[in-house]
Amino acid sequence: MANTGSVSEIVERSYNLLVWLADEASSLLGLYMELQGFRDGPPGMPGPHLRLPAPLSPDGEDWEPARRLCQHRSASRQLAALLGRVLGDQRVLNETRHHLHQQLQLAITGLQGLDANLGHVLTSLGTGQEQEAEESDGPAQGPSSQASGTAHWEAKVNGYHIVAHYTHWVARAAEDLARLKEHLKPEA
C-alpha cells in the first residue's frame, strides 16, 4: 500500500471530522424537531419521492475498505445535496431561524470536506474512479417545497427524515472509519 502514512493521516482527520459531525448531528436533530413543533416524536412517513442513501451492509458482510469508502463517499454527496434542500426549505419556512440555518450549513460543509478526504484516501489506495461511479446512486431527487400548506408540511416531514438519516449515517460512518484506522495500522 503506497503512501500509507499519508493515507493514515487523512483517515484520522476524516474520523475526527465524523466524530465531530456525529456530535453536532444529534444537536441538529433536536433543534430541527423543536423548531418544527415535533415535540411528540417523529412525524409521519416521508414523501414517496424522497430517496435517501441506502444503508450499509452489516459489519460481517462486504467489509472491503475501498468499497466501503466509496459507499460512504457516495452517501456523503447525497446527504449534502439533501441537507442543502432542507436548508433551502427552512430559509423559506423559518427565515428567522438563523441558528438552524447555520447548523445545516455546517453539516453540509462537513460532508463536503469528508467527500474530499475520502477522495484523497481512495486515490492513495489506488482505487479507480470506476468503482466510485458504480457506488453512486446519483443526485438526490425530489422537489423542494412549494407555497401550499401541504407542501410545507411535507417539506418539514421530509426534512426531519433527512436530518434523522444523516444523524444515524454519520455515527455509522465514524464506526467504519475507526475500523479502517485499525486496518491501516502497520503490523508490529
Side-chain angles (χ1 to χ4, degrees):
M1 194 179 303
N3 210 5
T4 304
S6 178
V7 170
S8 295
E9 290 169 10
I10 297 170
V11 169
E12 180 70 31
R13 280 196 310 265
S14 299
Y15 170 75
N16 291 337
L17 175 59
L18 280 166
V19 168
W20 179 78
L21 287 173
D23 185 51
E24 293 295 313
S26 59
S27 298
L28 172 60
L29 182 59
L31 179 63
Y32 188 89
M33 288 182 68
E34 177 186 324
L35 293 177
Q36 303 312 311
F38 299 149
R39 287 170 183 60
D40 297 326
M45 298 300 292
H49 63 274
L50 182 62
R51 241 180 57 208
L52 297 170
L56 296 172
S57 57
D59 282 341
E61 301 174 20
D62 191 31
W63 179 252
E64 196 277 308
R67 184 175 179 80
R68 194 66 148 219
L69 288 173
C70 285
Q71 291 171 338
H72 283 307
R73 190 169 188 209
S74 175
S76 70
R77 288 176 175 175
Q78 290 176 345
L79 286 167
L82 287 166
L83 288 171
R85 194 171 85 203
V86 172
L87 177 57
D89 287 343
Q90 288 304 308
R91 284 184 173 147
V92 171
L93 298 172
N94 291 303
E95 60 189 55
T96 62
R97 304 299 185 169
H98 300 294
H99 183 63
L100 175 61
H101 304 166
Q102 290 170 343
Q103 292 288 81
L104 286 164
Q105 187 60 59
L106 279 173
I108 293 164
T109 302
L111 287 170
Q112 291 167 340
L114 179 64
D115 175 40
N117 283 352
L118 294 178
H120 290 302
V121 171
L122 288 166
T123 299
S124 296
L125 292 174
T127 303
Q129 298 297 80
E130 59 279 349
Q131 184 176 7
E132 181 183 335
E134 269 177 34
E135 297 299 328
S136 178
D137 291 329
Q141 301 286 320
S144 191
S145 65
Q146 292 83 32
S148 74
T150 302
H152 286 175
W153 174 251
E154 186 177 332
K156 286 179 163 188
V157 170
N158 285 345
Y160 165 79
H161 287 285
I162 291 166
V163 172
H165 188 83
Y166 162 71
T167 301
H168 297 296
W169 174 83
V170 77
R172 178 59 190 264
E175 290 173 12
D176 275 1
L177 257 67
R179 188 173 180 183
L180 181 60
K181 281 179 12 177
E182 291 300 314
H183 180 77
L184 291 174
K185 278 187 180 175
E187 293 182 23

